[in-house]
Amino acid sequence: DAGVIQSPRHEVTEMGQEVTLRCKPISGHDYLFWYRQTMMRGLELLIYFNNNVPIDDSGMPEDRFSAKMPNASFSTLKIQPSEPRDSAVYFCASSFQGDGKNIQYFGAGTRLSVL
Amino acid sequence: RKEVEQDPGPFNVPEGATVAFNCTYSNSASQSFFWYRQDCRKEPKLLMSVYSSGNEDGRFTAQLNRASQYISLLIRDSKLSDSATYLCVVGGDSWGKFQFGAGTQVVVTP
């Protein structure tokens, strides 16, 4: 299996621009998570989906952030408009409840810089 | 108070030595516990799950103390390749929802 695939790996944009991050979970996994990691705040859960349905978005910072999962193999995290304080590494992770192990597998992350 | 707290370190460890560190958690209802490892500029990866009775995986030993609400990780015979940040992960009240600690940095020196 290719693992969780995220794109782009790096994104540099200017304040005010729209940013879209993409994630393909491991095939067969029914949970998908979006995290943000910064030096100051560590790894924060933004939102997670179960069977493509958003379950908990309480970690989404504000209305500028939105996430979708139109099907089992694709999810997006969008920031519009972006701000310098959004600069961080954004990770997507997926897991499979059926194996009972509760292990999350992470993608390589998208390193976002907002200038 | 953070839900999961770790000593950030760094723990500077001579190669071949033993290092141990803890993580405390605040939610007494937590049911699942893990240690993840994160290398510099890489994604977190599962190191090991932590079971109630404690468990070993090679040179790594994890313990859970529910009464005092902490988990521990011990690394024996440290290798240079053990240098990383170790993230304490605690499962919350919803399946799949984790709380991550900020990580403990371990630096193994020759």
Side-chain angles (χ1 to χ4, degrees):
Chain A
D1 198 314
V4 176
I5 299 173
Q6 291 187 245
S7 64
R9 292 293 307 278
H10 303 273
E11 177 80 30
V12 180
T13 190
E14 292 187 347
M15 183 174 61
Q17 296 298 306
E18 177 179 296
V19 175
T20 299
L21 312 181
R22 297 173 176 81
C23 175
K24 176 179 168 55
I26 293 173
S27 177
H29 281 194
D30 51 358
Y31 278 79
L32 183 140
F33 306 83
W34 282 102
Y35 291 91
R36 176 173 67 177
Q37 187 174 39
T38 61
M39 288 293 291
M40 290 296 294
R41 301 174 67 91
L43 201 60
E44 302 174 281
L45 176 65
L46 300 177
I47 184 172
Y48 74 99
F49 297 82
N50 175 219
N51 291 322
N52 315 336
V53 177
I55 302 300
D56 185 341
D57 66 354
S58 59
M60 295 286 261
E62 49 198 271
D63 292 346
R64 297 185 298 106
F65 286 69
S66 62
K68 294 181 180 179
M69 191 165 186
N71 57 62
S73 58
F74 184 66
S75 177
T76 59
L77 178 68
K78 187 174 293 187
I79 309 172
Q80 166 64 18
S82 58
E83 297 182 3
R85 61 193 168 120
D86 301 330
S87 297
V89 180
Y90 291 81
F91 287 107
C92 175
S94 70
S95 67
F96 176 52
Q97 186 174 16
D99 67 7
K101 297 180 180 178
N102 204 8
I103 297 171
Q104 293 187 17
Y105 298 86
F106 283 75
T110 295
R111 190 170 297 273
L112 174 65
S113 296
V114 183
L115 306 177
Chain B
R1 182 188 171 194
K2 293 182 180 178
E3 293 196 38
V4 180
E5 299 210 49
Q6 297 184 247
D7 182 339
F11 285 69
N12 294 297
V13 185
E15 196 174 6
T18 295
V19 61
F21 41 89
N22 294 340
C23 155
T24 59
Y25 62 95
S26 61
N27 185 356
S28 60
S30 298
Q31 295 296 322
S32 53
F33 307 88
F34 309 88
W35 284 103
Y36 275 66
R37 171 195 169 126
Q38 187 172 24
D39 294 303
C40 187
R41 301 179 74 84
K42 299 286 189 179
E43 72 273 22
K45 292 183 179 179
L46 177 70
L47 176 67
M48 58 195 301
S49 302
V50 184
Y51 302 121
S52 297
S53 55
N55 48 297
E56 281 189 15
D57 184 359
R59 298 180 293 107
F60 297 84
T61 300
Q63 296 281 350
L64 168 63
N65 185 316
R66 286 191 182 273
S68 300
Q69 294 184 206
Y70 73 86
I71 66 173
S72 63
L73 181 66
L74 182 146
I75 307 174
R76 287 186 302 277
D77 187 23
S78 297
K79 311 292 185 189
L80 295 177
S81 57
D82 294 334
S83 296
T85 296
Y86 291 85
L87 302 172
C88 173
V89 184
V90 177
D93 50 8
S94 302
W95 194 95
K97 187 173 180 180
F98 288 172
Q99 294 293 335
F100 281 79
T104 295
Q105 185 183 10
V106 172
V107 179
V108 181
T109 56

